[in-house]
Amino acid sequence: MVESYAKDASEALASNDFVAACGVADLICARPNINPALRASMHLLQARACFWLGDAAKQEDNAFEAFNLAAPASALRFQAAAELAMASSTLGKLDTLLELVDELIDAAVSSETLPDYLIGCCRLGIALQRAGWPEHVERLLGHVQGELHSQAESRADVRAWTLLLRAELADHAGDHGHSLALMRDAAAAFLEQGDSRWACVCEANAGAAMLALGGYDEARKELTEAIREAAASKISQSEIMRLNLGLAEARGGDRHAGLERLRGCLTSLGDSDDWRMRSAGHRYVAEVLLDLGTHEEAEREARAAVELAASPALRAQALAMLALVQLPRPMEAFMAASQAMGMLKSVGGVAEDEARIRLAYAMSLEAMGHAENARDAYEKARDRLLKRADRISDPKWRGSFLGRVRDHERTLTLAEERCSDDA
């Protein structure tokens, strides 16, 4: 009977009926004398379902139960660690991520559990990267680099997660062209192993990479298709896809439609556990409002983005937006931009809007009347931007990256004007 229920729960998860999957798994876990492995597998199933439902708190609770019930160094424990890492990253519980690094580095791994272990390392690496801890990513990956390469050649699941991790690392380094290619490869690898949900997420991430490259029309097309697939699969990740679509619309010239979509997404998110998504949403709204000349409301949105940003990287992005809004008050703008620059240096780079951080710092120096320091900041911002652009091999994307992304175009223009004035 219990085995039959467990099969029903698995089938419900496979068919995207996440609520039913959780309900059946709950019934099994409530039964007395259930062996720990089965109980762990049901909590793991619920953690996975809660991820797709967008309930990070319940994902964390179930992943934690599965992790503690599973035998040490078992495939089940590594799978639970992967879910716990993703939930902890979403909730901003960063100490848990460090504990998981120690857990995985010290684990005794067998040949049978190696694939699940490597996938767990990849997912923890993604969580650490999003938390702004590249040094711990390096520590973890340095431990498994050889195994990742060999296993990825023979197993589509390990290959898919390795590609997704590499795409996230490339995005963080500002290499959006490489990230785009890796995301497309990851989507193909997930489809190869029959995982259409994660393939959809990767396709949406590819759309976000196009957005970062200034390909607004291309991003809108990619994101619209990903949203359609996400809706068919009933996954909550469609909200971040809609946020990116709204930003693509606004940056592509349709500001009012983009603003309406962004505000609708923030309303839908409400008090969601995903502080990263909510902070980004407020930052995007602030950007559009500033472009529309609505400074007071833009400042409120920028401050909300700062308040929600729990990681150094995300906080740097939000502070840069706030600095641009505050340029009419140079001292306040400079304080925000200086904090953003300090955080940027501490994490070594951010996934998006890095040029904005450097631009806001230069512009705030100029607004303060520090012309020489401002020229130096503009020059460094330009050099960093061109260095990032040199990584983009496709001439079309390189041109779009430099010419269509407003912060990039402004950086190049202002650097040329101010540095030529100095000459």
Side-chain angles (χ1 to χ4, degrees):
M1 178 67 73
V2 172
E3 289 75 12
S4 175
Y5 283 154
K7 183 180 178 183
D8 290 343
S10 297
E11 289 177 350
L13 179 63
S15 63
N16 303 319
D17 194 345
F18 307 119
V19 174
C22 287
V24 176
D26 259 337
L27 290 174
I28 295 172
C29 290
R31 293 174 69 93
N33 304 319
I34 299 296
N35 73 70
L38 178 58
R39 193 181 299 275
S41 69
M42 289 297 99
H43 279 296
L44 176 62
L45 183 147
Q46 289 181 84
R48 289 170 170 164
C50 288
F51 171 77
W52 297 115
L53 286 168
D55 192 335
K58 287 187 178 178
Q59 181 193 12
E60 181 198 35
D61 289 343
N62 282 288
F64 188 75
E65 289 291 336
F67 183 82
N68 285 332
L69 286 165
S74 65
L76 202 54
R77 190 170 174 102
F78 295 142
Q79 292 165 12
E83 296 299 328
L84 184 56
M86 300 300 282
S88 299
S89 175
T90 299
L91 295 168
K93 296 186 177 181
L94 308 183
D95 288 345
T96 301
L97 298 180
L98 296 184
E99 293 170 6
L100 288 171
V101 172
D102 292 335
E103 165 81 18
L104 292 185
I105 286 179
D106 294 338
V109 185
S110 67
S111 58
E112 290 79 14
T113 61
L114 181 58
D116 292 297
Y117 172 74
L118 293 174
I119 291 170
C121 287
C122 287
R123 296 187 71 178
L124 177 55
I126 292 169
L128 289 165
Q129 187 63 61
R130 292 177 178 178
W133 278 341
E135 67 275 18
H136 294 294
V137 179
E138 292 175 8
R139 177 181 162 215
L140 178 65
L141 295 187
H143 185 70
V144 296
Q145 199 68 48
E147 289 90 345
L148 273 177
H149 179 74
S150 61
Q151 286 285 310
E153 290 183 344
S154 58
R155 291 187 59 112
D157 52 355
V158 177
R159 183 164 64 255
W161 282 106
T162 302
L163 287 165
L164 181 50
L165 171 61
R166 290 175 58 202
E168 294 253 355
L169 295 175
D171 190 49
H172 175 83
D175 193 351
H176 304 298
H178 192 207
S179 179
L180 173 58
L182 289 168
M183 279 297 180
R184 284 173 164 161
D185 290 344
F190 277 116
L191 283 176
E192 183 182 337
Q193 60 156 326
D195 193 335
S196 60
R197 291 190 291 251
W198 272 106
C200 176
V201 171
C202 289
E203 288 162 2
N205 289 346
M210 293 173 184
L211 174 58
L213 289 163
Y216 304 126
D217 292 339
E218 296 91 338
R220 288 170 72 166
K221 181 178 179 182
E222 191 86 8
L223 288 164
T224 298
E225 177 59 22
I227 290 168
R228 186 192 65 77
E229 293 175 8
S233 297
K234 305 173 188 175
I235 60 176
S236 67
Q237 285 69 22
S238 59
E239 286 305 320
I240 187 62
M241 301 176 193
R242 290 190 179 95
L243 277 177
N244 283 327
L245 178 57
L247 187 61
E249 289 172 333
R251 288 185 178 177
D254 199 349
R255 291 189 180 91
H256 291 286
L259 181 60
E260 183 179 356
R261 189 183 300 278
L262 289 169
R263 281 176 163 161
C265 288
L266 282 176
T267 299
S268 297
L269 288 169
D271 295 326
S272 164
D273 295 325
D274 196 335
W275 53 269
R276 292 177 67 251
M277 193 189 309
R278 290 169 61 206
S279 179
H282 284 290
R283 189 173 80 247
Y284 297 162
V285 170
E287 175 185 324
V288 182
L289 289 170
L290 181 60
D291 287 344
L292 292 171
T294 314
H295 283 73
E296 186 175 336
E297 193 175 353
E299 183 166 351
R300 285 199 300 270
E301 294 291 338
R303 289 187 182 279
V306 172
E307 194 173 319
L308 285 163
S311 74
L314 202 63
R315 193 170 180 83
Q317 293 163 3
L319 283 165
M321 187 68 248
L322 180 61
L324 289 179
V325 175
Q326 292 178 330
L327 278 175
R329 306 194 302 275
M331 178 59 75
E332 293 179 44
F334 176 69
M335 290 175 64
S338 295
Q339 290 181 59
M341 276 296 292
M343 291 175 183
L344 176 63
K345 290 175 181 176
S346 73
V347 299
V350 295
E352 62 176 313
D353 295 340
E354 180 177 319
R356 175 177 294 168
I357 298 171
R358 299 176 186 276
L359 176 64
Y361 180 66
M363 293 179 76
S364 66
L365 281 168
E366 185 174 13
M368 287 276 289
H370 301 312
E372 186 175 345
N373 289 338
R375 282 193 292 269
D376 181 61
Y378 279 125
E379 187 173 8
K380 288 179 178 176
R382 177 194 61 197
D383 292 348
R384 169 63 176 167
L385 179 60
L386 292 175
K387 185 176 180 180
R388 290 171 61 198
D390 285 342
R391 298 174 183 165
I392 303 171
S393 58
D394 187 324
K396 171 201 161 186
W397 284 126
R398 186 178 188 279
S400 177
F401 180 74
L402 291 174
R404 293 208 67 202
V405 178
R406 186 180 177 194
D407 291 328
H408 300 172
E409 186 273 330
R410 291 175 79 189
T411 297
L412 296 177
T413 299
L414 290 171
E416 182 178 3
E417 291 175 355
R418 304 306 186 258
C419 295
S420 62
D421 287 346
D422 187 42

